[in-house]
Amino acid sequence: MLTCTASAQSFLTYLNYSPNKLNNFSLRLEWYDDMEGQRTGTKTRYAEVGGSWQHWFSPQIEMRPEIAYYRSLDAAAFNGNANAGIAPNRNYAVIGAADLIIHF
């Protein structure tokens, strides 16, 4: 019989502010410990801070742009490509993303 245990711990918090019913701003803070590297590919602890904006154009259409800064604390975990055999060589990443959601 095969068994596997992959331990990880995470703490996450959001701070939200809504100046009106069409806009919501969020601050996201996270700490993540991938104790064995099985979840992320690198055995290290991570810290992240991100900001996002949720805006409703109408009851059916919303957009959600965000930007986040990630940092690996114990080992380089970013800027690599495991599929190409390229090891990570950086301990931070800045990620920008956005969604446009149409509710129906």
Side-chain angles (χ1 to χ4, degrees):
M1 179 171 83
L2 296 174
T3 62
C4 178
T5 302
S7 296
Q9 291 185 352
S10 180
F11 300 94
L12 175 67
T13 187
Y14 285 90
L15 178 63
N16 294 309
Y17 170 67
S18 295
N20 55 51
K21 63 183 182 177
L22 297 178
N23 293 289
N24 183 59
F25 297 94
S26 296
L27 175 67
R28 172 188 163 115
L29 303 170
E30 181 178 15
W31 179 85
Y32 186 78
D33 188 356
D34 190 355
M35 298 173 198
E36 298 166 37
Q38 188 144 0
R39 303 276 186 228
T40 63
T42 302
K43 180 181 177 178
T44 186
R45 297 169 299 152
Y46 297 86
E48 181 251 337
V49 60
S52 64
W53 171 39
Q54 178 185 23
H55 177 71
W56 291 82
F57 292 105
S58 72
Q60 292 79 29
I61 301 173
E62 76 176 284
M63 72 168 187
R64 299 184 312 177
E66 66 178 41
I67 189 163
Y69 174 78
Y70 295 85
R71 184 159 186 100
S72 58
L73 304 175
D74 305 310
F78 302 103
N79 206 35
N81 184 340
N83 294 329
I86 301 170
N89 64 0
R90 194 167 45 179
N91 66 350
Y92 70 93
V94 178
I95 308 288
D99 298 323
L100 181 63
I101 301 169
I102 301 171
H103 300 267
F104 57 93

